[in-house]
Amino acid sequence: MINAANTNNKETSDKVLDDMSQFLIAAKNQIESKRKELQLPINTQRTKVINSITNSYQNVIYANSTITGHLESIRKVKEAQDEAAAMLGVENANEKVNEQLLDISDKVSGAVLNAKEIDLKSDEAYNKLEKVIDKIKELTNQN
């Protein structure tokens, strides 16, 4: 290469340019291969986290619909009890039913809060994973 710079020989200059072009292409291919190798486990983990978040969300939706169905059943039972109590003239039965409904409502509220916490934690995990991926991409692009 030094000789090519010291001489004005066109063939030598062309040969050096061709060698450098081939070197750059080979280096680029190796860098790209290494980048793919480093990103593969990250992308696999990202897919697993996204699938886990999706499954958790679907479970929360299913649990919510189940709870809603139970609450609707409880409401119908309460209405039937109110009618029966009114026909019998018994008023204390309503208080016990109301206490049970309040207890169930508290439990449902707790379950909903737990589901929201799971959803928030899943979002945080996803955001952290995205930051790690971006950082690795940034590091591999610097080379």
Side-chain angles (χ1 to χ4, degrees):
M1 279 197 249
I2 295 173
N3 291 341
N6 292 334
T7 65
N8 287 333
N9 186 344
K10 180 167 175 31
E11 285 181 24
T12 306
S13 296
D14 288 344
K15 173 78 170 119
V16 169
L17 280 174
D18 186 49
D19 289 347
M20 287 302 291
S21 293
Q22 289 177 11
F23 173 78
L24 289 174
I25 290 170
K28 181 183 175 190
N29 289 339
Q30 285 182 351
I31 290 168
E32 196 60 37
S33 175
K34 188 63 173 178
R35 181 193 335 246
K36 287 179 183 177
E37 177 187 329
L38 292 172
Q39 286 180 340
L40 180 64
I42 294 168
N43 290 337
T44 301
Q45 185 65 30
R46 178 182 180 200
T47 301
K48 286 180 182 178
V49 168
I50 290 171
N51 288 340
S52 177
I53 291 168
T54 301
N55 289 339
S56 294
Y57 185 70
Q58 292 298 325
N59 288 339
V60 168
I61 289 173
Y62 176 75
N64 186 36
S65 66
T66 301
I67 291 169
T68 301
H70 286 298
L71 290 174
E72 181 63 24
S73 295
I74 290 169
R75 184 190 61 79
K76 288 179 181 179
V77 168
K78 184 183 177 321
E79 286 177 358
Q81 286 176 344
D82 287 345
E83 286 179 24
M87 290 185 342
L88 296 173
V90 180
E91 296 177 13
N92 291 338
N94 289 337
E95 291 176 13
K96 288 184 180 182
V97 171
N98 286 337
E99 288 173 9
Q100 289 176 349
L101 286 175
L102 288 174
D103 183 49
I104 290 171
S105 178
D106 289 342
K107 289 177 182 176
V108 168
S109 295
V112 169
L113 286 175
N114 286 338
K116 286 181 181 178
E117 286 177 19
I118 290 170
D119 192 34
L120 288 174
K121 288 178 183 176
S122 296
D123 287 344
E124 289 173 11
Y126 179 78
N127 289 336
K128 286 179 182 178
L129 181 60
E130 284 291 323
K131 287 180 184 178
V132 168
I133 290 169
D134 290 343
K135 186 65 176 178
I136 289 175
K137 286 181 181 177
E138 179 182 305
L139 290 173
T140 57
N141 286 332
Q142 286 179 355
N143 297 328

